[in-house]
């Protein structure tokens, strides 16, 4: 499918970026050889994954078919993804485990992520249009391959020095989804708060699965979700293997000012895990 048509399908959330989304290059064979030496990368916590189910509270996100709200779809997906990652030895922290009374700001979400130094930050969105999974990396121009441990980073463009790793993360996830026979779109789009993050970060937008023949599967289809979850889990385990932090590397300095996340009481405490 043409990249231009696929980009149109991501209008709901990924088009919030002030920078125009750019068509992704065809997925390159970016997976390093297992025989390659570990890269010298900052000391991310290699078994820690940060999930960010977007929206929540008054911000419902997109209205999906059957009166389903995007904020609920991504929360449920995160709650199903968590145990799959835990089974691979990951510790998983989510920016929200319920529907909060007040919407988390993007600065609060980034602040949570940047204090944790996770191996990967997965920002979850969902849409009713397009097919498969849209994986967006920051559209910031890469400044290098990894960040200087002692250098403070500007908040608005903190992700710039992580972009090369984020692109490798996007390729890992894209490859795993392709191997699972799921359609993938790789693109560059700075949907907030990705540019503020100092972890390898991608936006994963779930779209319906529309086969060339037969009935489409909505994003709420649990069997379809399970295929995506298994592929994402496989990709993150591979990313961990291929991006082993250097033992002597210090954690990167968080970008100032780093807003402290404000605990938000859940509107529905019974739904919290
Ligand atoms: Zn969204």
């Amino acid at each position: 499918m043409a990249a231009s048509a696929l980009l149109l399908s991501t209008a709901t959330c990924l088009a919030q970026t002030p920078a125009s989304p750019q068509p992704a290059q065809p997925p390159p064979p970016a997976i390093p050889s297992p025989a390659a030496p570990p890269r010298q990368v900052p000391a991310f916590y290699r078994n820690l994954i940060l999930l960010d189910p977007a929206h929540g509270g008054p911000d419902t996100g997109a209205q999906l078919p059957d009166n389903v709200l995007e904020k609920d779809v991504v929360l449920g997906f995160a709650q199903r993804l968590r145990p799959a990652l835990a089974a691979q030895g990951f510790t998983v922290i989510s920016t929200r485990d319920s529907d909060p009374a007040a919407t988390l700001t993007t600065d609060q979400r980034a602040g949570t992520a940047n204090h944790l130094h996770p191996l990967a930050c997965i920002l979850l969105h969902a849409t009713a249009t397009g097919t498969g999974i849209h994986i967006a990396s920051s559209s910031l121009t890469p400044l290098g391959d990894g960040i200087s441990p002692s250098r403070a980073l500007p908040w608005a463009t903190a992700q710039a020095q992580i972009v090369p790793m984020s692109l490798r993360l996007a390729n890992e996830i894209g490859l795993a989804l392709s191997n699972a026979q799921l359609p993938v779109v790789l693109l560059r789009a700075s949907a907030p708060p990705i540019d503020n993050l100092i972890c390898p970060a991608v936006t994963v937008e779930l779209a319906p699965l529309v086969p060339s023949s037969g009935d489409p599967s909505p994003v709420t289809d649990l069997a379809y979700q399970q295929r995506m979850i298994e592929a994402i889990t496989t990709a993150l385990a591979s990313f961990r293997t291929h991006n082993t932090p250097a033992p002597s590397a210090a954690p990167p300095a968080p970008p100032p000012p780093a807003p402290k996340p404000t605990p938000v009481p859940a509107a529905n405490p019974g739904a919290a895990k």
Side-chain angles (χ1 to χ4, degrees):
M1 188 176 293
S4 57
L6 291 165
L7 286 171
L8 289 174
S9 72
T10 65
T12 303
C13 288
L14 296 182
Q16 291 178 355
T17 172
S20 299
Q22 300 169 5
Q25 299 299 316
I31 309 306
S33 162
R39 291 189 177 87
Q40 297 293 305
V41 297
F44 302 107
Y45 290 106
R46 66 189 300 271
N47 290 314
L48 182 61
I49 302 293
L50 187 283
L51 300 180
D52 179 34
H55 312 290
D59 173 13
T60 62
Q63 178 94 34
L64 305 179
D66 299 323
N67 292 319
V68 174
L69 299 177
E70 181 187 3
K71 68 172 184 176
D72 296 325
V73 171
V74 294
L75 178 61
F77 187 83
Q79 291 174 333
R80 283 181 279 278
L81 179 56
R82 178 194 288 265
L85 291 170
Q88 292 294 320
F90 286 112
T91 297
V92 180
I93 295 178
S94 182
T95 54
R96 65 183 181 94
D97 291 313
S98 62
D99 190 21
T103 301
L104 294 170
T105 68
T106 55
D107 281 354
Q108 286 174 322
R109 296 171 190 270
T112 298
N114 287 344
H115 279 84
L116 292 172
H117 304 298
L119 175 74
C121 295
I122 308 296
L123 317 181
L124 295 168
H125 288 266
T127 180
T129 57
T131 182
I133 300 90
H134 311 138
I135 302 172
S137 307
S138 168
S139 58
L140 290 173
T141 301
L143 291 182
D145 191 3
I147 68 174
S148 170
S150 60
R151 181 178 172 186
L153 302 170
W155 179 258
T157 57
Q159 174 68 196
Q161 294 188 63
I162 311 292
V163 164
M165 286 191 71
S166 296
L167 291 173
R168 289 199 288 274
L169 174 62
N171 282 332
E172 289 267 16
I173 297 175
L175 180 63
L177 290 164
S178 294
N179 288 341
Q181 309 298 312
L182 293 171
V184 179
V185 180
L186 293 178
L187 55 100
R188 303 286 298 276
S190 286
I194 201 166
D195 285 353
N196 311 124
L197 299 179
I198 57 171
C199 52
V202 293
T203 298
V204 174
E205 185 177 61
L206 316 177
L209 180 62
V210 184
S212 55
S213 62
D215 296 330
S217 300
V219 294
T220 49
D221 185 289
L222 293 183
Y224 173 38
Q225 285 195 10
Q226 186 60 31
R227 293 174 65 191
M228 294 189 279
I229 285 169
E230 290 174 3
I232 292 170
T233 300
T234 296
L236 288 172
S238 175
F239 185 72
R240 173 178 56 187
T241 299
H242 295 135
N243 291 275
T244 302
S248 61
K260 293 184 178 179
T262 302
V264 178
N268 181 9
K273 292 190 67 175

